[in-house]
Amino acid sequence: TQAPTVTATEGGTMTVFYPVYGEGEGFCANDPPTDHGLSSLNGIVTSATNAECCTKHFSWQKSGFCFSQMANPPTQAPTVTATEAGTLTVFYPVYGEGEGFCANDPPTDHGLSSLNGIVTSATNAECCTKHFSWQKSGFCFSQMANPPTQAPTVTATEGGTMTVFYPVY
């Protein structure tokens, strides 16, 4: 069976994306195939989206060149915005300042231009565990607003009794 005939839309772009090999590292296009030395798309596997095409035909690219040619290329890490208080909604590791800790203030406060490529965490504790579990001092955890303790904190109830039971020998 022959591949369906694909025609250009009014804007001059195709309704599908196809791989273009031999021009640099290779990328996906949706402009007329004649722009890339092809007479037609017969026999060429096409994709509905640019991302699908890049994944299908250029997943071997370490540079991510195919994705970088997209109008709105994906980033290595999610885009993180500041909250009203000026802190981020994620925590990230800060190395090189003492023993290292996790922060959720703007990365520029620590000499970073962005968080692209940095593994982030939803909570400060998760970040400390993920990036600084090797710290014997527990420095990362000690920098938290409410750091965890070595043992559970036990407080007396209104009646003066504890909320936990313990053995009496």
Side-chain angles (χ1 to χ4, degrees):
T1 53
Q2 282 189 316
T5 304
V6 180
T7 58
T9 63
E10 287 181 33
T13 59
M14 308 293 286
T15 56
V16 295
F17 289 85
Y18 59 94
V20 177
Y21 299 97
E23 293 182 25
E25 291 190 54
F27 57 95
C28 291
N30 68 338
D31 47 2
T34 52
D35 290 359
H36 302 286
L38 300 170
S39 59
S40 74
L41 292 180
N42 287 342
I44 295 176
V45 177
T46 60
S47 302
T49 67
N50 201 343
E52 180 185 320
C53 179
C54 285
T55 301
K56 190 182 294 181
H57 298 284
F58 301 104
S59 61
W60 52 267
Q61 289 179 343
K62 290 182 181 175
S63 67
F65 182 78
C66 184
F67 286 101
S68 74
Q69 301 305 297
M70 295 171 64
N72 294 305
T75 59
Q76 291 286 334
T79 303
V80 180
T81 56
T83 62
E84 288 180 31
T87 59
L88 301 175
T89 57
V90 295
F91 290 83
Y92 61 94
V94 177
Y95 299 97
E97 294 184 24
E99 290 190 55
F101 58 94
C102 292
N104 68 336
D105 48 0
T108 52
D109 290 359
H110 303 286
L112 300 170
S113 59
S114 74
L115 292 180
N116 285 344
I118 295 176
V119 177
T120 60
S121 302
T123 66
N124 202 342
E126 179 186 319
C127 179
C128 285
T129 301
K130 190 182 294 182
H131 298 283
F132 300 105
S133 60
W134 52 268
Q135 290 179 345
K136 291 182 179 172
S137 68
F139 182 78
C140 183
F141 287 100
S142 74
Q143 301 305 298
M144 295 170 62
N146 294 305
T149 59
Q150 291 288 338
T153 305
V154 179
T155 57
T157 64
E158 286 182 28
T161 59
M162 308 276 295
T163 57
V164 295
F165 293 92
Y166 58 94
V168 177
Y169 299 100

